Amino acid sequence: MTSPMITEVRKWNSMSVRNVCVNNDLYTCGCNEDYTRLLDEVNLMEPTKENIYRVATDIVKHSDEQTVSNVMFLLANQAVTVSFAIAE
């Protein structure tokens, strides 16, 4: 029996990242223009490790007492959705 081809599909959007920020009291030290720019950029990015790092770094820069690794964890587990496509 051959194994099916399984493709992982990872997605996020500005609303899911915004929800992470609101629910975890993040981005409390930034201006609306910076926040809007970040959220607009998220809609153009795939949620790769590198892009999650990039977004987390920006969020930490505009937040109190956070680490990049913690914000990356929050984004990966609360903003990114994972689905699977199976070709048999």
Side-chain angles (χ1 to χ4, degrees):
M1 180 175 174
T2 62
S3 297
M5 183 189 315
I6 303 170
T7 304
E8 180 181 76
V9 180
R10 298 167 49 92
K11 294 184 179 187
W12 64 356
N13 58 45
S14 59
M15 185 58 74
S16 65
V17 171
R18 180 187 174 281
N19 287 339
V20 168
C21 291
V22 169
N23 293 337
N24 294 281
D25 296 320
L26 302 173
Y27 224 99
T28 55
C29 303
C31 67
N32 287 336
E33 292 81 18
D34 290 339
Y35 193 43
T36 299
R37 178 194 45 75
L38 174 69
L39 295 177
D40 287 345
E41 287 179 5
V42 165
N43 285 328
L44 303 174
M45 298 178 184
E46 296 293 322
T48 63
K49 290 182 290 190
E50 294 78 15
N51 287 339
I52 292 171
Y53 173 81
R54 182 174 166 198
V55 170
T57 300
D58 188 283
I59 291 171
V60 166
K61 185 170 113 179
H62 296 95
S63 301
D64 287 325
E65 300 180 22
Q66 284 295 328
T67 64
V68 173
S69 60
N70 183 58
V71 174
M72 287 181 72
F73 176 85
L74 294 172
L75 291 170
N77 288 283
Q78 297 176 16
V80 177
T81 58
V82 179
S83 62
F84 299 95
I86 302 173
E88 307 228 12

